[in-house]
Amino acid sequence: MERMLEKVMMMTNIEEITEAISSYLKKPVVIEDDQFSLLAYSSFYIEQFDEANKQTIFSKRWPISILEMFMDKGIVTQLKTSPKPFRVKQIKEIGLNQRIVASMRYKDHILGYIWIQETGKPLTEAELDFIDEVSHHVGKILYQKKQLKLKKDQEKNDFYKKIMEDEFQTEAQVKWEAANVNLPIPDSYIICVFTVGQTSEDVFGELLEKSGLFSNALKLPTHLFIDQLKIIVMIGSNLSHRGELVDGANELTTTVLSQFNGQRIYAGISTERSSILHLKKSYMEAMEVIKTAKFVGLDSLPSFEYKKLGLFRYLESISQYQKKMNYVNEDLLKLQQKDKEDHTSLLHTLEVYLSQNCRLKPTAERLFIHINTLKYRLNQIIELTSISFDNFQTNCQLYIDLQMLKINE
């Protein structure tokens, strides 16, 4: 082992180190960076890779489904806290066989991970010590490479911030500056913005980490940068099909927010665009979603997409006007009182009925009730109030007033 360790310690090429580890241990080996992106794998033993490894090699990174599983089972936390190599048991749901994993560290930084699939006999203590020694060596190599990458990322951040600050007037100026920093401009892109509800460095740090991990796990190219306590993720592509960017943005948003149960984390998604000059406008759209979510509450937000907010984007302005005019919808107050006294659900029935364009069957399906039950409730609403449902304009106003009533409760 000492001779092999000495040999590996003389290597600086990650691919060569991976092949050497695999050849010595006679097992499949994968090396990834700290964002779970593939750096190298042992081609000699590729036929022994399990389904999880095959997905990683194909997509060059862990898919979101596997990354979520690792987070749920505490494996990601263990990777960041365990100073020594440890075993990850078989996880059949994602096609993962048992393996050894070692975090590659240098100067208190985690630079990546070495994964050894335990085909055949388990690794011995001596072999685990060998992996531990190698992990520190590779960590040093990756640290040096990361310093160069950080400088490059800062150039990208500065470039995008210049666009946000309207320093460019034409597409030609943008393309010239992009060429100077060797940065490709996507043909189309969409913006996701994440932020915390209350200022907290710990929560923001966790949000930044998970936004980065899940952004990197998307199938589409992404770039993440920070503006104060706002995390901006640009998802862009030259090959995206219709709706692909929107789907990716929604997948990223829902996945990130699912990691923060009980904590107020906000997100917004811009409209898909082709001109990078409109980056600031995209950012403002995403921030408008976040502003709306803070006003109406996350549970009431109809969508994280700006273009699907509809009248919700105007509710705050309407609220200010109604307060100024001391406006109250008396019909809704009657229904609210009826619900409170008799434990009915007339207000909720009314909201769903209006949201379904006053169609009986879709409303009954959404409420999980029989159409006759729905008709009975609607008759109750008509008898108790002046509501008639025969005018589109008044129906719109009624729906708005319902939202304002919920917000003011």
Side-chain angles (χ1 to χ4, degrees):
M1 187 186 79
E2 290 182 3
R3 186 163 295 178
M4 174 55 70
L5 181 60
E6 183 181 10
K7 180 180 178 181
V8 172
M9 291 298 190
M10 296 297 291
M11 297 177 178
T12 57
N13 182 281
I14 303 298
E15 287 81 7
E16 290 180 0
I17 292 173
T18 306
E19 291 291 350
I21 298 171
S22 181
S23 177
Y24 173 65
L25 298 176
K26 302 293 189 293
K27 298 185 186 302
V29 177
V30 170
I31 293 184
E32 299 168 344
D33 67 13
D34 59 328
Q35 296 290 305
F36 299 99
S37 289
L38 181 68
L39 296 177
Y41 62 91
S42 55
S43 58
F44 184 77
Y45 288 97
I46 192 170
E47 70 279 357
Q48 298 183 39
F49 280 143
D50 57 21
E51 287 302 314
N53 269 145
K54 289 176 183 177
Q55 290 187 59
T56 307
I57 293 169
F58 178 75
S59 62
K60 305 298 184 185
R61 60 182 64 86
W62 285 114
I64 283 181
S65 58
I66 294 180
L67 187 53
E68 280 187 298
M69 180 68 74
F70 279 3
M71 286 185 170
D72 291 343
K73 289 186 175 295
I75 296 171
V76 172
T77 300
Q78 198 172 356
L79 283 169
K80 297 181 182 303
T81 56
S82 179
K84 294 289 184 178
F86 63 92
R87 278 185 175 82
V88 175
K89 297 294 185 181
Q90 182 184 36
I91 307 176
K92 291 184 178 180
E93 302 98 298
I94 57 175
L96 185 95
N97 291 339
Q98 180 169 295
R99 60 197 64 206
I100 295 292
V101 58
S103 299
M104 298 181 291
R105 303 168 184 268
Y106 186 72
K107 290 188 175 181
D108 295 324
H109 294 277
I110 295 177
L111 287 308
Y113 314 100
I114 302 175
W115 301 82
I116 302 100
Q117 191 178 159
E118 280 197 303
T119 54
K121 294 190 299 183
L123 295 184
T124 65
E125 288 300 319
E127 289 170 331
L128 291 176
D129 290 339
F130 167 76
I131 292 300
D132 187 37
E133 292 287 344
V134 170
S135 69
H136 293 291
H137 173 61
V138 182
K140 183 177 181 180
I141 295 171
L142 293 179
Y143 178 82
Q144 294 167 346
K145 291 185 176 183
K146 189 167 186 176
Q147 297 312 300
L148 297 175
K149 183 178 181 297
L150 287 174
K151 182 179 178 181
K152 184 66 178 177
D153 285 346
Q154 187 58 50
E155 290 177 349
K156 291 180 181 179
N157 294 344
D158 293 343
F159 168 74
Y160 286 123
K161 285 183 178 180
K162 283 182 180 179
I163 299 176
M164 298 272 284
E165 293 167 2
D166 296 324
E167 291 194 22
F168 301 109
Q169 302 301 316
T170 66
E171 291 277 358
Q173 290 177 330
V174 174
K175 291 179 179 178
W176 175 266
E177 181 74 13
N180 285 338
V181 295
N182 195 27
L183 180 63
I185 300 297
D187 289 340
S188 55
Y189 68 94
I190 198 167
I191 292 294
C192 295
V193 177
F194 299 95
T195 189
V196 293
Q198 294 179 328
T199 303
S200 168
E201 290 186 7
D202 290 340
V203 176
F204 183 76
E206 186 180 357
L207 177 60
L208 178 59
E209 177 190 7
K210 291 182 177 177
S211 298
L213 285 175
F214 287 116
S215 297
N216 191 59
L218 285 178
K219 296 178 182 178
L220 295 163
T222 61
H223 179 68
L224 182 151
F225 56 103
I226 301 171
D227 179 27
Q228 295 181 350
L229 287 179
K230 312 293 189 305
I231 299 168
I232 305 165
V233 181
M234 186 176 79
I235 307 172
S237 176
N238 298 329
L239 303 171
S240 61
H241 299 94
R242 184 176 179 83
E244 191 175 16
L245 290 176
V246 174
D247 290 344
N250 276 294
E251 181 181 14
L252 175 63
T253 300
T254 54
T255 305
V256 170
L257 294 187
S258 70
Q259 302 295 313
F260 292 90
N261 293 329
Q263 294 174 309
R264 284 193 297 166
I265 304 295
Y266 295 96
I269 301 172
S270 75
T271 306
E272 181 178 332
R273 287 193 165 80
S274 56
S275 174
I276 198 70
L277 278 177
H278 295 149
L279 182 64
K280 182 178 180 179
K281 186 175 183 180
S282 296
Y283 171 74
M284 296 303 294
E285 286 179 351
M287 288 303 300
E288 187 69 24
V289 178
I290 292 172
K291 180 183 177 184
T292 302
K294 289 180 177 180
F295 180 69
V296 305
L298 278 171
D299 293 338
S300 299
L301 193 71
S303 173
F304 292 110
E305 296 179 49
Y306 175 79
K307 67 178 182 180
K308 291 185 178 179
L309 279 186
L311 61 86
F312 275 74
R313 73 178 70 154
Y314 308 113
L315 288 183
E316 189 170 6
S317 298
I318 293 172
S319 174
Q320 294 172 359
Y321 173 78
Q322 290 187 349
K323 287 178 180 178
K324 179 180 178 182
M325 301 300 294
N326 198 27
Y327 170 80
V328 176
N329 189 311
E330 298 294 341
D331 286 332
L332 296 183
L333 292 181
K334 291 177 182 178
L335 296 179
Q336 186 181 51
Q337 186 64 27
K338 176 69 173 176
D339 285 344
K340 184 177 180 179
E341 291 176 353
D342 297 343
H343 304 289
T344 54
S345 54
L346 298 182
L347 274 178
H348 181 58
T349 300
L350 175 61
E351 181 181 9
V352 175
Y353 185 57
L354 291 171
S355 71
Q356 297 301 309
N357 296 318
C358 299
R359 294 175 297 167
L360 290 173
K361 185 177 179 182
T363 303
E365 290 175 351
R366 286 284 300 274
L367 292 170
F368 302 104
I369 59 176
H370 194 275
I371 285 183
N372 289 339
T373 304
L374 174 60
K375 288 179 179 178
Y376 174 74
R377 292 184 185 178
L378 292 176
N379 285 331
Q380 278 188 297
I381 291 171
I382 292 170
E383 289 173 3
L384 287 168
T385 66
S386 61
I387 297 170
S388 63
F389 302 117
D390 58 2
N391 183 282
F392 173 77
Q393 304 298 334
T394 55
N395 286 346
C396 289
Q397 181 62 52
L398 188 59
Y399 186 77
I400 291 172
D401 291 345
L402 264 169
Q403 303 309 314
M404 300 310 305
L405 184 66
K406 287 168 62 179
I407 292 169
N408 293 326
E409 281 183 341

mmCIF file of all heavy atoms in Angstrom, residues 63-87:
data_model
loop_
_atom_site.group_PDB
_atom_site.id
_atom_site.type_symbol
_atom_site.label_atom_id
_atom_site.label_comp_id
_atom_site.label_asym_id
_atom_site.label_seq_id
_atom_site.Cartn_x
_atom_site.Cartn_y
_atom_site.Cartn_z
ATOM 1 N N PRO A 63 -28.539 13.651 -10.262
ATOM 2 C CA PRO A 63 -29.872 14.203 -10.546
ATOM 3 C C PRO A 63 -30.514 14.711 -9.257
ATOM 4 O O PRO A 63 -30.142 14.294 -8.154
ATOM 5 C CB PRO A 63 -30.644 12.996 -11.108
ATOM 6 C CG PRO A 63 -29.599 12.015 -11.531
ATOM 7 C CD PRO A 63 -28.437 12.227 -10.600
ATOM 8 N N ILE A 64 -31.491 15.598 -9.387
ATOM 9 C CA ILE A 64 -32.151 16.177 -8.223
ATOM 10 C C ILE A 64 -32.781 15.108 -7.346
ATOM 11 O O ILE A 64 -32.731 15.180 -6.110
ATOM 12 C CB ILE A 64 -33.215 17.212 -8.661
ATOM 13 C CG1 ILE A 64 -32.508 18.522 -9.075
ATOM 14 C CG2 ILE A 64 -34.219 17.498 -7.556
ATOM 15 C CD1 ILE A 64 -33.426 19.632 -9.502
ATOM 16 N N SER A 65 -33.363 14.058 -7.948
ATOM 17 C CA SER A 65 -34.025 13.008 -7.166
ATOM 18 C C SER A 65 -33.046 12.308 -6.229
ATOM 19 O O SER A 65 -33.367 12.013 -5.070
ATOM 20 C CB SER A 65 -34.672 11.979 -8.097
ATOM 21 O OG SER A 65 -33.698 11.406 -8.959
ATOM 22 N N ILE A 66 -31.815 12.049 -6.709
ATOM 23 C CA ILE A 66 -30.810 11.388 -5.872
ATOM 24 C C ILE A 66 -30.276 12.353 -4.822
ATOM 25 O O ILE A 66 -30.078 11.981 -3.656
ATOM 26 C CB ILE A 66 -29.665 10.842 -6.743
ATOM 27 C CG1 ILE A 66 -30.189 9.709 -7.642
ATOM 28 C CG2 ILE A 66 -28.512 10.344 -5.886
ATOM 29 C CD1 ILE A 66 -29.142 9.090 -8.540
ATOM 30 N N LEU A 67 -30.073 13.602 -5.215
ATOM 31 C CA LEU A 67 -29.577 14.596 -4.264
ATOM 32 C C LEU A 67 -30.573 14.801 -3.128
ATOM 33 O O LEU A 67 -30.181 14.913 -1.952
ATOM 34 C CB LEU A 67 -29.318 15.922 -4.987
ATOM 35 C CG LEU A 67 -28.646 17.044 -4.190
ATOM 36 C CD1 LEU A 67 -27.363 16.573 -3.553
ATOM 37 C CD2 LEU A 67 -28.394 18.244 -5.081
ATOM 38 N N GLU A 68 -31.877 14.829 -3.446
ATOM 39 C CA GLU A 68 -32.904 14.954 -2.413
ATOM 40 C C GLU A 68 -32.851 13.761 -1.455
ATOM 41 O O GLU A 68 -32.983 13.920 -0.232
ATOM 42 C CB GLU A 68 -34.289 15.042 -3.057
ATOM 43 C CG GLU A 68 -34.646 16.415 -3.579
ATOM 44 C CD GLU A 68 -36.081 16.483 -4.038
ATOM 45 O OE1 GLU A 68 -36.453 15.752 -4.980
ATOM 46 O OE2 GLU A 68 -36.852 17.268 -3.454
ATOM 47 N N MET A 69 -32.672 12.568 -2.011
ATOM 48 C CA MET A 69 -32.605 11.367 -1.185
ATOM 49 C C MET A 69 -31.410 11.441 -0.236
ATOM 50 O O MET A 69 -31.502 11.105 0.946
ATOM 51 C CB MET A 69 -32.504 10.126 -2.075
ATOM 52 C CG MET A 69 -32.418 8.803 -1.318
ATOM 53 S SD MET A 69 -33.934 8.373 -0.443
ATOM 54 C CE MET A 69 -34.976 7.895 -1.832
ATOM 55 N N PHE A 70 -30.263 11.893 -0.749
ATOM 56 C CA PHE A 70 -29.065 12.037 0.089
ATOM 57 C C PHE A 70 -29.293 13.039 1.219
ATOM 58 O O PHE A 70 -28.813 12.852 2.335
ATOM 59 C CB PHE A 70 -27.878 12.482 -0.767
ATOM 60 C CG PHE A 70 -27.218 11.362 -1.515
ATOM 61 C CD1 PHE A 70 -27.714 10.074 -1.470
ATOM 62 C CD2 PHE A 70 -26.082 11.594 -2.269
ATOM 63 C CE1 PHE A 70 -27.115 9.041 -2.152
ATOM 64 C CE2 PHE A 70 -25.453 10.566 -2.958
ATOM 65 C CZ PHE A 70 -25.976 9.281 -2.894
ATOM 66 N N MET A 71 -30.033 14.115 0.925
ATOM 67 C CA MET A 71 -30.323 15.103 1.963
ATOM 68 C C MET A 71 -31.273 14.536 2.999
ATOM 69 O O MET A 71 -31.083 14.706 4.212
ATOM 70 C CB MET A 71 -30.900 16.368 1.330
ATOM 71 C CG MET A 71 -29.870 17.203 0.593
ATOM 72 S SD MET A 71 -30.552 18.757 -0.017
ATOM 73 C CE MET A 71 -29.038 19.588 -0.539
ATOM 74 N N ASP A 72 -32.317 13.845 2.531
ATOM 75 C CA ASP A 72 -33.314 13.281 3.449
ATOM 76 C C ASP A 72 -32.693 12.260 4.401
ATOM 77 O O ASP A 72 -33.082 12.163 5.570
ATOM 78 C CB ASP A 72 -34.453 12.622 2.662
ATOM 79 C CG ASP A 72 -35.313 13.633 1.928
ATOM 80 O OD1 ASP A 72 -35.243 14.826 2.280
ATOM 81 O OD2 ASP A 72 -36.042 13.240 1.001
ATOM 82 N N LYS A 73 -31.735 11.492 3.905
ATOM 83 C CA LYS A 73 -31.116 10.452 4.722
ATOM 84 C C LYS A 73 -29.914 10.968 5.523
ATOM 85 O O LYS A 73 -29.231 10.194 6.195
ATOM 86 C CB LYS A 73 -30.702 9.271 3.841
ATOM 87 C CG LYS A 73 -31.893 8.473 3.308
ATOM 88 C CD LYS A 73 -31.453 7.239 2.568
ATOM 89 C CE LYS A 73 -32.646 6.381 2.153
ATOM 90 N NZ LYS A 73 -33.392 5.828 3.309
ATOM 91 N N GLY A 74 -29.638 12.252 5.401
ATOM 92 C CA GLY A 74 -28.554 12.841 6.178
ATOM 93 C C GLY A 74 -27.158 12.581 5.630
ATOM 94 O O GLY A 74 -26.158 12.879 6.286
ATOM 95 N N ILE A 75 -27.076 12.057 4.403
ATOM 96 C CA ILE A 75 -25.765 11.730 3.835
ATOM 97 C C ILE A 75 -24.984 12.995 3.508
ATOM 98 O O ILE A 75 -23.768 13.062 3.730
ATOM 99 C CB ILE A 75 -25.936 10.849 2.580
ATOM 100 C CG1 ILE A 75 -26.563 9.504 2.982
ATOM 101 C CG2 ILE A 75 -24.596 10.623 1.885
ATOM 102 C CD1 ILE A 75 -26.965 8.639 1.814
ATOM 103 N N VAL A 76 -25.684 14.014 3.001
ATOM 104 C CA VAL A 76 -25.001 15.275 2.673
ATOM 105 C C VAL A 76 -24.424 15.906 3.937
ATOM 106 O O VAL A 76 -23.286 16.393 3.945
ATOM 107 C CB VAL A 76 -25.966 16.249 1.963
ATOM 108 C CG1 VAL A 76 -25.319 17.625 1.808
ATOM 109 C CG2 VAL A 76 -26.357 15.699 0.588
ATOM 110 N N THR A 77 -25.193 15.891 5.015
ATOM 111 C CA THR A 77 -24.700 16.423 6.291
ATOM 112 C C THR A 77 -23.482 15.639 6.768
ATOM 113 O O THR A 77 -22.498 16.218 7.239
ATOM 114 C CB THR A 77 -25.812 16.353 7.355
ATOM 115 O OG1 THR A 77 -26.928 17.131 6.919
ATOM 116 C CG2 THR A 77 -25.316 16.890 8.695
ATOM 117 N N GLN A 78 -23.538 14.318 6.632
ATOM 118 C CA GLN A 78 -22.419 13.474 7.059
ATOM 119 C C GLN A 78 -21.169 13.756 6.227
ATOM 120 O O GLN A 78 -20.043 13.742 6.740
ATOM 121 C CB GLN A 78 -22.809 11.997 6.954
ATOM 122 C CG GLN A 78 -21.913 11.064 7.762
ATOM 123 C CD GLN A 78 -22.438 9.642 7.807
ATOM 124 O OE1 GLN A 78 -23.521 9.355 7.292
ATOM 125 N NE2 GLN A 78 -21.673 8.750 8.408
ATOM 126 N N LEU A 79 -21.367 14.022 4.947
ATOM 127 C CA LEU A 79 -20.231 14.343 4.075
ATOM 128 C C LEU A 79 -19.514 15.601 4.546
ATOM 129 O O LEU A 79 -18.302 15.727 4.392
ATOM 130 C CB LEU A 79 -20.723 14.545 2.637
ATOM 131 C CG LEU A 79 -21.049 13.285 1.834
ATOM 132 C CD1 LEU A 79 -21.778 13.651 0.543
ATOM 133 C CD2 LEU A 79 -19.780 12.509 1.514
ATOM 134 N N LYS A 80 -20.268 16.520 5.110
ATOM 135 C CA LYS A 80 -19.679 17.791 5.525
ATOM 136 C C LYS A 80 -19.087 17.737 6.932
ATOM 137 O O LYS A 80 -18.338 18.623 7.322
ATOM 138 C CB LYS A 80 -20.739 18.896 5.437
ATOM 139 C CG LYS A 80 -21.232 19.123 4.010
ATOM 140 C CD LYS A 80 -22.250 20.229 3.949
ATOM 141 C CE LYS A 80 -22.758 20.397 2.531
ATOM 142 N NZ LYS A 80 -21.681 20.671 1.571
ATOM 143 N N THR A 81 -19.455 16.715 7.694
ATOM 144 C CA THR A 81 -19.017 16.671 9.093
ATOM 145 C C THR A 81 -18.061 15.523 9.412
ATOM 146 O O THR A 81 -17.292 15.615 10.370
ATOM 147 C CB THR A 81 -20.236 16.559 10.024
ATOM 148 O OG1 THR A 81 -21.012 15.400 9.663
ATOM 149 C CG2 THR A 81 -21.126 17.794 9.901
ATOM 150 N N SER A 82 -18.109 14.448 8.629
ATOM 151 C CA SER A 82 -17.280 13.290 8.950
ATOM 152 C C SER A 82 -15.840 13.506 8.486
ATOM 153 O O SER A 82 -15.594 13.733 7.292
ATOM 154 C CB SER A 82 -17.843 12.030 8.284
ATOM 155 O OG SER A 82 -17.036 10.911 8.583
ATOM 156 N N PRO A 83 -14.862 13.429 9.386
ATOM 157 C CA PRO A 83 -13.460 13.656 9.012
ATOM 158 C C PRO A 83 -12.821 12.444 8.335
ATOM 159 O O PRO A 83 -11.738 12.554 7.768
ATOM 160 C CB PRO A 83 -12.786 13.954 10.349
ATOM 161 C CG PRO A 83 -13.594 13.189 11.348
ATOM 162 C CD PRO A 83 -15.007 13.202 10.847
ATOM 163 N N LYS A 84 -13.477 11.299 8.402
ATOM 164 C CA LYS A 84 -12.913 10.061 7.856
ATOM 165 C C LYS A 84 -13.870 9.446 6.834
ATOM 166 O O LYS A 84 -15.063 9.741 6.834
ATOM 167 C CB LYS A 84 -12.672 9.056 8.993
ATOM 168 C CG LYS A 84 -11.598 9.473 9.993
ATOM 169 C CD LYS A 84 -10.205 9.405 9.368
ATOM 170 C CE LYS A 84 -9.132 9.726 10.399
ATOM 171 N NZ LYS A 84 -7.763 9.627 9.811
ATOM 172 N N PRO A 85 -13.370 8.561 5.971
ATOM 173 C CA PRO A 85 -14.252 7.849 5.041
ATOM 174 C C PRO A 85 -15.315 7.059 5.804
ATOM 175 O O PRO A 85 -15.051 6.550 6.897
ATOM 176 C CB PRO A 85 -13.298 6.914 4.295
ATOM 177 C CG PRO A 85 -11.946 7.549 4.416
ATOM 178 C CD PRO A 85 -11.953 8.208 5.763
ATOM 179 N N PHE A 86 -16.524 6.973 5.238
ATOM 180 C CA PHE A 86 -17.595 6.222 5.889
ATOM 181 C C PHE A 86 -18.424 5.474 4.845
ATOM 182 O O PHE A 86 -18.350 5.769 3.653
ATOM 183 C CB PHE A 86 -18.489 7.147 6.725
ATOM 184 C CG PHE A 86 -19.217 8.200 5.914
ATOM 185 C CD1 PHE A 86 -20.487 7.968 5.415
ATOM 186 C CD2 PHE A 86 -18.614 9.433 5.668
ATOM 187 C CE1 PHE A 86 -21.157 8.932 4.678
ATOM 188 C CE2 PHE A 86 -19.273 10.401 4.930
ATOM 189 C CZ PHE A 86 -20.548 10.152 4.430
ATOM 190 N N ARG A 87 -19.229 4.518 5.320
ATOM 191 C CA ARG A 87 -20.040 3.705 4.428
ATOM 192 C C ARG A 87 -21.427 4.313 4.232
ATOM 193 O O ARG A 87 -22.045 4.795 5.184
ATOM 194 C CB ARG A 87 -20.198 2.285 4.969
ATOM 195 C CG ARG A 87 -19.018 1.396 4.660
ATOM 196 C CD ARG A 87 -19.233 -0.047 5.094
ATOM 197 N NE ARG A 87 -18.092 -0.849 4.658
ATOM 198 C CZ ARG A 87 -16.943 -0.930 5.303
ATOM 199 N NH1 ARG A 87 -16.787 -0.259 6.439
ATOM 200 N NH2 ARG A 87 -15.950 -1.665 4.821
#
